[in-house]
Amino acid sequence: MSQNTTPKAPKNNPATPASEAAGEHKVSNFLRQIIEKDLEQGTYASRRWAGTPGDAAHHAAGQPDPAKIRTRFPPEPNGYLHVGHAKSICLNFGLARDYGGVCHMRFDDTNPEKEDTEYVNSILDAVQWLGFGWEANGQSHLFQASDYFGFMYRAAEHLVQAGHAYVDEQTAEQMRAARGDFGKPGVDSPYRSRSAEENLARFREMRDGKHEDGSMVLRAKIDMASPNINLRDPAIYRIRRATHHNTGDTWCIYPMYTFAHPIEDALEQITHSICTLEFEDQRPFYDWLMERLTEGGLLAAPNPKQYEFARLNLTYVITSKRKLAQLVYDHKVSGWDDPRMPTIVGLRRRGYTPESIQLFAERIGVTKSDSWIDYSTLEGCLREDLENKAHRGMAVLDPVKLVLTNWAEAFGADDYTEDCTQPALPHSAIAEGQTPPPDRVFKIGKEVWIEREDFEEAPPKGYKRLFPGNVVRLKGGYVIECTGCARDATGTVLEVHAKVIPGTKSGTPGADSVKAKAAITWVSVASGVSAEVRLYDRLFSDPNPDAGGKDFIEALNPNSLKVVTAYVEPSLAAAKPDEKFQFERFGYFVADRVDHVAGGMPVFNRVTGLKDSWGK
Ligand code: ATP
Ligand code: MG
């Protein structure tokens, strides 16, 4: 796998929301071409839809399908969704939206052991937050695969009766040994030639709980010598005494995923069943099963077709649910929604917007070969989205006090303060005809907080900020001239000293009368508010934390979270949870959705810096 070369960002109209920008730049891909061809040729034009999933007879009695195509997003409810799932959601729901179709939200809950309703709710929430829904044509398209257990059983009996399936009583070990490998054809099971009647009786005994877990399986009878090992009589039903969250103890046999999934697609009249590349070798079985059940009259034609695309691999990120769970249970992060997690709840809490994730999905596109997408691509999409939306504000993250020693002389009293105003959004962010948001108002006084790094008593070459004798502007306020500093016994700077130059305030006629070498950010002691700022960085310091069997715990970035107490201007202190800002010079920040309480101590998360500076 190679480091990805990400497609260049399309040039945006400065005030165009990223979501629209994504819409304008829909790049064609192999899936779009397939769909367009199917629509042109009317591949699916004859389909009927009964309003609910069902077999051939059910749909035959329905109306011509109002949906031009049907796609589906079929997660197993066994964990929280992550950024890889987001790609699949945007793809499936996006294609349905773009081609007059419907995307089904389906829980692939055929495995009784792993599912949980906590995950069901979080998955629905994530899909809706990303901007998609399953209501269409006046109907809900939220389905669960376990509702199809009855049909799946019937389909299995049909295969048995038609001589396409048999009950195998070999041990798992024996079956594995008899399967052969790439260079060696498999060996027929001694049970392979049993009669249909005998197989049916045995299969019913399996269903009726007459046999132990694992003592026998139902296998499709295809070809033990097939070069595709998935066609060497794959298991399609197993005995497993487990209580299912939907069907309880009704069943003690459960279908295998490879058998269940095509049937789910067919009952729901899916046209384009889009999955990740690792299922490519399963496609011949998918088609085989469709053909057998359609010729048997159980499923409606034309059948769904499976297409595979490359899953998302993102540098500095792991997307295995199992490994993400380990981070949570080993307390390496604060939970599934820790802002460093690549889960959708984590990205949301970090400050990512649905639009930025949609833009990301659009920009990375879909391909048929695996590659790595650079993490900075995701950050870039967020910056692009927030550039014209996030109100600006000043915050001082590493504060030291600056005292304007001539303040009383200049303005009559030490406690004199004056309002400064600055736009909430720069001019370039305001679209034509759009009313700009109200200006921010904050006070300037004798004492202000500045960044500790903005003062150097002995400045290095090229340093333009505060040093004795240098003239800078307090951004949006007055021009000042630095005079020196006071230090404590250890030499640490206690306060910086400067003189204010009256008549130079920003936005007044004298603003340009004195030339400043730089403009520095600040927050006045009079109106600044203390805030907790969580400086998040990448969770891993290795771009491929779990590649090649590496221990990803070793790759954790020890500096992925630094918490500081900052001062922020009043407009930031008034933030509502989830509101995003650009802290001037620092990047994008969001009021934490969990810990930030409007009116209490503000809590901000750093989403991302202003430009990609990581590792530089
Ligand atoms: P895991 O192996 O971590 O449990 P999964 O792929 O089994 O993940 P599912 O819940 O089965 O998770 O996935 C639902 C859908 O999301 C599937 O269609 C799957 O192809 C897709 N998907 C999962 N991970 C990615 C990824 N990294 N990139 C793109 N699509 C993905
Ligand atoms: Mg899965």
Side-chain angles (χ1 to χ4, degrees):
M1 279 191 236
S2 64
Q3 205 75 10
N4 183 64
T5 45
T6 311
K8 266 267 174 298
K11 267 262 173 293
N12 269 337
N13 171 339
T16 306
S19 53
E20 268 175 44
E24 280 168 23
H25 295 274
K26 289 241 159 71
V27 182
S28 187
N29 59 50
F30 76 99
L31 291 170
R32 288 183 177 274
Q33 285 162 13
I34 288 166
I35 292 171
E36 283 161 20
K37 192 159 166 233
D38 282 334
L39 290 175
E40 199 180 296
Q41 298 181 341
T43 315
Y44 295 100
S46 65
R47 285 172 323 122
R48 306 183 82 80
W49 170 247
T52 49
D55 64 7
H58 178 72
H59 288 302
Q63 304 297 314
D65 193 342
K68 292 214 171 72
I69 61 166
R70 286 184 188 269
T71 56
R72 84 284 174 272
F73 174 63
E76 252 185 282
N78 65 350
Y80 282 77
L81 298 185
H82 53 62
V83 61
H85 295 111
K87 174 180 180 179
S88 179
I89 293 169
C90 292
L91 180 61
N92 281 293
F93 283 93
L95 288 172
R97 173 197 61 207
D98 293 347
Y99 291 102
V102 173
C103 180
H104 295 192
M105 175 69 228
R106 178 203 306 154
F107 285 106
D108 207 329
D109 61 349
T110 53
N111 184 347
E113 285 134 336
K114 296 195 287 185
E115 281 114 33
D116 200 312
T117 43
E118 174 196 348
Y119 301 133
V120 168
N121 294 331
S122 83
I123 289 170
L124 294 178
D125 215 50
V127 172
Q128 287 178 310
W129 176 74
L130 276 173
F132 300 104
W134 42 87
E135 304 279 336
N137 307 317
Q139 286 176 355
S140 165
H141 299 83
L142 172 60
F143 303 119
Q144 48 184 350
S146 55
D147 285 340
Y148 313 145
F149 280 154
F151 179 88
M152 288 173 189
Y153 179 78
R154 194 180 125 213
E157 279 210 353
H158 171 81
L159 293 181
V160 170
Q161 283 167 319
H164 295 311
Y166 62 98
V167 173
D168 196 341
E169 296 178 37
Q170 293 183 100
T171 62
E173 196 47 54
Q174 286 168 326
M175 272 187 262
R176 205 171 303 124
R179 195 172 294 132
D181 54 37
F182 286 108
K184 197 170 93 198
V187 178
D188 283 3
S189 161
Y191 300 93
R192 200 174 196 261
S193 51
R194 284 215 279 220
S195 70
E197 293 70 37
E198 215 177 324
N199 280 315
L200 187 61
R202 267 286 188 279
F203 185 46
R204 289 184 175 167
E205 285 171 19
M206 281 172 63
R207 176 199 59 188
D208 296 338
K210 301 269 163 58
H211 300 283
E212 293 298 306
D213 284 15
S215 60
M216 53 187 73
V217 292
L218 184 70
R219 296 177 75 176
K221 190 171 177 178
I222 309 177
D223 180 4
M224 286 303 289
S226 171
N228 182 340
I229 292 176
N230 296 297
L231 292 180
R232 293 183 188 175
D233 294 4
I236 59 180
Y237 256 100
R238 63 191 171 127
I239 307 172
R240 182 77 188 92
R241 286 170 177 76
T243 304
H244 188 279
H245 77 100
N246 179 29
T247 56
D249 293 321
T250 308
W251 298 94
C252 67
I253 56 171
Y254 289 95
M256 305 300 285
Y257 177 83
T258 46
F259 175 74
H261 200 86
I263 291 180
E264 296 158 23
D265 286 344
L267 295 176
E268 294 180 19
Q269 293 281 68
I270 299 302
T271 55
H272 301 82
S273 177
I274 300 164
C275 61
T276 42
L277 281 174
E278 61 270 27
F279 293 99
E280 195 168 7
D281 289 346
Q282 296 288 354
R283 182 163 19 98
F285 178 72
Y286 186 102
D287 292 338
W288 179 90
L289 184 62
M290 290 290 168
E291 284 160 27
R292 298 294 79 73
L293 297 177
T294 306
E295 72 196 12
L298 279 79
L299 294 180
N303 295 140
K305 284 250 178 290
Q306 174 182 305
Y307 303 96
E308 308 86 19
F309 71 101
R311 65 190 293 119
L312 170 66
N313 297 303
L314 194 58
T315 59
Y316 299 99
V317 161
I318 54 174
T319 50
S320 148
K321 279 185 213 153
R322 182 181 57 78
K323 291 175 187 168
L324 293 176
Q326 191 182 331
L327 292 174
V328 174
Y329 297 126
D330 291 353
H331 303 287
K332 302 295 183 198
V333 293
S334 66
W336 289 102
D337 70 345
D338 185 297
R340 292 164 294 183
M341 288 284 272
T343 50
I344 296 181
V345 283
L347 291 169
R348 179 178 183 182
R349 188 167 173 194
R350 178 69 171 267
Y352 276 87
T353 58
E355 292 81 0
S356 64
I357 297 174
Q358 285 183 28
L359 178 64
F360 174 68
E362 189 65 37
R363 186 159 296 162
I364 61 178
V366 277
T367 61
K368 280 193 83 70
S369 60
D370 272 316
S371 67
W372 283 83
I373 302 291
D374 206 84
Y375 190 77
S376 59
T377 307
L378 178 62
E379 295 176 313
C381 291
L382 181 83
R383 285 188 209 106
E384 216 168 294
D385 182 36
L386 292 185
E387 169 67 24
N388 296 326
K389 283 190 197 164
H391 287 190
R392 286 10 179 207
M394 286 196 282
V396 175
L397 302 188
D398 182 15
V400 68
K401 196 178 274 182
L402 169 80
V403 181
L404 299 169
T405 50
N406 65 334
W407 190 259
E409 199 184 307
F411 298 113
D414 275 339
D415 61 359
Y416 171 79
T417 60
E418 200 174 292
D419 280 347
C420 300
T421 57
Q422 284 283 281
L425 284 175
H427 188 69
S428 61
I430 313 288
E432 244 178 67
Q434 190 193 328
T435 323
D439 282 345
R440 299 140 47 200
V441 182
F442 46 87
K443 291 197 185 307
I444 188 164
K446 180 185 167 82
E447 294 182 333
V448 304
W449 300 109
I450 60 165
E451 291 298 331
R452 191 164 280 279
E453 65 168 26
D454 283 355
F455 172 75
E456 290 283 355
E457 195 159 31
K461 201 163 176 292
Y463 190 83
K464 292 201 175 61
R465 290 167 274 171
L466 290 164
F467 57 85
N470 200 34
V471 172
V472 305
R473 174 177 297 284
L474 292 175
K475 204 167 178 200
Y478 284 94
V479 176
I480 62 172
E481 182 183 344
C482 183
T483 54
C485 70
R487 293 180 186 271
D488 70 7
T490 67
T492 306
V493 174
L494 281 179
E495 48 182 52
V496 178
H497 297 152
K499 288 190 160 140
V500 64
I501 306 177
T504 59
K505 198 175 166 194
S506 293
T508 64
D512 295 327
S513 59
V514 179
K515 191 152 167 37
K517 291 280 179 2
I520 64 168
T521 53
W522 58 281
V523 169
S524 73
V525 171
S527 65
V529 175
S530 295
E532 178 176 324
V533 177
R534 299 171 180 171
L535 299 169
Y536 289 108
D537 206 335
R538 297 176 185 186
L539 186 54
F540 294 101
S541 11
D542 185 329
N544 313 110
D546 58 350
K550 265 184 290 190
D551 180 2
F552 62 98
I553 298 292
E554 301 274 304
L556 282 166
N557 174 6
N559 303 314
S560 63
L561 170 58
K562 191 176 148 205
V563 181
V564 299
T565 303
Y567 289 104
V568 300
E569 65 169 73
S571 69
L572 297 178
K576 292 187 283 298
D578 230 16
E579 203 174 342
K580 284 112 191 143
F581 296 93
Q582 187 189 108
F583 287 8
E584 290 186 46
R585 99 193 241 179
F586 288 116
Y588 293 101
F589 290 74
V590 61
D592 188 77
R593 7 190 356 246
V594 179
D595 297 332
H596 175 87
V597 184
M601 165 98 148
V603 179
F604 290 98
N605 303 329
R606 175 166 68 194
V607 198
T608 176
L610 277 184
K611 50 182 188 296
D612 182 22
S613 58
W614 212 75
K616 284 180 195 150

